[in-house]
Amino acid sequence: ASKMDLKSALEECSMALNLFLNNKFSEALDLLRPWSKDSMYHALGYSTILVMQAAMTFEQQDIQMGISTMKEALQTCQRRKGTKEPGQNYQILPEKNKGSAVSAFFSGSSELCCLVCLKVRCLFVLQIDENMINFIKGGLKIRTSYQIYKECHQVLQMTQGNKSKNETYYQFEGGVKLGIGAFNLMLSLLPGRILRLLEFIGFSGNRELGLCQLREGASGSSLRAILCTFTLLVYHTYVSLILGTGEANLEEADSLLEPYLQKFPNGSIMLFYAARIDILKGNFEKAQLRFQECIAAQQEWKQIHHLCYWELMWCYTYQQNWLQAYRYADLLSKENRWSKAMYVFQKAAILCMLPEDDLKRTGEDIVSLFRQVDGLKQRIAGKSIPTEKFAVRKARRYASSQPVKLILPALEMMYVWNGFAIVGKRADLTENLLVTIEKEETALQNETNHNEYYTDDVCMLQLLKGLCLKHLGRLMQAELCFSKVIQSEKQVKYDSYLVPFTLYELGLLYKQQDEREKAIRYIETAK
């Protein structure tokens, strides 16, 4: 056929999506490629897969390919729209004109495709471009996208009672719900002062609205339903833990994933999320088996293996199986490009936990590894990555000719990644961690020559010990540990994060005991 109508385009893109979710990534691209310069849905699907691939590999060639195909996709959508910029052919019309305007707008769906292309391209460029002017330009384009999404959302609300809804309407509805939902959810995660500034210039960060829109989109039948589902899964299984208090909604995550797991039982993405949910439930042994299934399910996108390696490294860290944890940290440091500084630091930190004989058998030099960390750090959008900055700062103890060893660095990094909230689901493993911490605490107390890091190390151990005691239900002892850190505030020399984070943990402890006023006071002080 010389032309691709909207119905055929949606059917073919749905087939490509099924191929993608069945690990047939190349076949999905092959199906989309022939029409990627003529059909906006093909263009959007094709470029999105390539951008995902580039984000996973971090290879310069893949990154340039992702940017250029997303640019071409934007041009394809704009040709269908007949305008140069998103939003130029559409304005909110008076109610009496809504019927014809809306049907005309729905028939193309090009506005939404343009918005998605523009948003994804801008976000991707923001991640890799250190140029501040391009950063500002990208931010302004994202703002434009958001404003048009809001207009589309208003149209959707005005047409809820329309009885003549067709397939195109549902595709449009799914796209709007994904856009409004993702924007609101992402912005709601920003610090309060930044969010207030963004709200002043027209953004909104309403978390409940975002989650509601995504849930409605996930329950729909549009092509965007799976994207709404994945956005919610990422939020429940990662974002809420890393940026929140560790209270993930696993019941919702399970119910979102289940239908896709039944439809794509060997799909690597489905297996990965199923394993991640098992981790968050404390089922580490079951998660390990599922990650191995995920690795075996496909060999085309090795980066999905790397995601599994990262999770397996933490699984074995929670169990204090240091040799296995080292194995996966080593694989990541050699094969993956996302954060070399973090991987090398993590590998060295895990090696610090090994007995001397096991360490010798690995053939690794811990001091040499720590000294590599500073030279491996990177910048995204002109900014250093917080976890890399932390790793670089800690690794400096090995920079001098007389290195000062780190105390339980793998457990400290576990705290940085909010791992105590996960391992706390398992009393047996938490008890084992407490034994390790108390053993190190005794060794530190027995040292006669205290170095300049002594107080910092003592406070760090008290923080970790307090976390273990909290998860074991020994709340009064946990409070004592946290209080010791806070009382040592003036003696802490280098690890400035210790006191504010301990204040925060103490606030959460009081919240757990329904002492609301105390909780608020300590959390506010932590800021």
PDB file of all heavy atoms in Angstrom, residues 45 95 291 385 437:
ATOM      1  N   GLY A  45       6.800   5.024  17.518  1.00  0.00           N
ATOM      2  CA  GLY A  45       7.200   3.725  18.064  1.00  0.00           C
ATOM      3  C   GLY A  45       8.649   3.391  17.759  1.00  0.00           C
ATOM      4  O   GLY A  45       9.407   2.965  18.645  1.00  0.00           O
ATOM      5  N   GLU A  95     -17.556  26.332  23.635  1.00  0.00           N
ATOM      6  CA  GLU A  95     -18.284  25.067  23.772  1.00  0.00           C
ATOM      7  C   GLU A  95     -19.140  24.765  22.542  1.00  0.00           C
ATOM      8  O   GLU A  95     -19.224  23.626  22.112  1.00  0.00           O
ATOM      9  CB  GLU A  95     -19.161  25.133  25.036  1.00  0.00           C
ATOM     10  CG  GLU A  95     -19.889  23.846  25.376  1.00  0.00           C
ATOM     11  CD  GLU A  95     -18.929  22.702  25.647  1.00  0.00           C
ATOM     12  OE1 GLU A  95     -17.875  22.939  26.249  1.00  0.00           O
ATOM     13  OE2 GLU A  95     -19.242  21.571  25.248  1.00  0.00           O
ATOM     14  N   PHE A 291      15.283 -13.361  38.301  1.00  0.00           N
ATOM     15  CA  PHE A 291      16.281 -12.578  37.560  1.00  0.00           C
ATOM     16  C   PHE A 291      17.073 -13.475  36.616  1.00  0.00           C
ATOM     17  O   PHE A 291      17.406 -13.065  35.496  1.00  0.00           O
ATOM     18  CB  PHE A 291      17.213 -11.840  38.522  1.00  0.00           C
ATOM     19  CG  PHE A 291      16.615 -10.593  39.119  1.00  0.00           C
ATOM     20  CD1 PHE A 291      16.580 -10.408  40.495  1.00  0.00           C
ATOM     21  CD2 PHE A 291      16.083  -9.600  38.300  1.00  0.00           C
ATOM     22  CE1 PHE A 291      16.027  -9.267  41.048  1.00  0.00           C
ATOM     23  CE2 PHE A 291      15.533  -8.444  38.849  1.00  0.00           C
ATOM     24  CZ  PHE A 291      15.497  -8.284  40.225  1.00  0.00           C
ATOM     25  N   ILE A 385      26.316  13.567  39.422  1.00  0.00           N
ATOM     26  CA  ILE A 385      25.310  12.638  39.922  1.00  0.00           C
ATOM     27  C   ILE A 385      25.514  12.492  41.430  1.00  0.00           C
ATOM     28  O   ILE A 385      26.622  12.193  41.879  1.00  0.00           O
ATOM     29  CB  ILE A 385      25.438  11.270  39.224  1.00  0.00           C
ATOM     30  CG1 ILE A 385      25.302  11.447  37.703  1.00  0.00           C
ATOM     31  CG2 ILE A 385      24.413  10.281  39.740  1.00  0.00           C
ATOM     32  CD1 ILE A 385      25.708  10.232  36.905  1.00  0.00           C
ATOM     33  N   ILE A 437      27.389  -5.264  62.268  1.00  0.00           N
ATOM     34  CA  ILE A 437      27.600  -3.871  62.684  1.00  0.00           C
ATOM     35  C   ILE A 437      28.163  -3.820  64.109  1.00  0.00           C
ATOM     36  O   ILE A 437      29.116  -3.070  64.391  1.00  0.00           O
ATOM     37  CB  ILE A 437      26.278  -3.072  62.573  1.00  0.00           C
ATOM     38  CG1 ILE A 437      25.872  -2.935  61.101  1.00  0.00           C
ATOM     39  CG2 ILE A 437      26.419  -1.692  63.211  1.00  0.00           C
ATOM     40  CD1 ILE A 437      24.419  -2.520  60.889  1.00  0.00           C
TER      41      ILE A 437
END
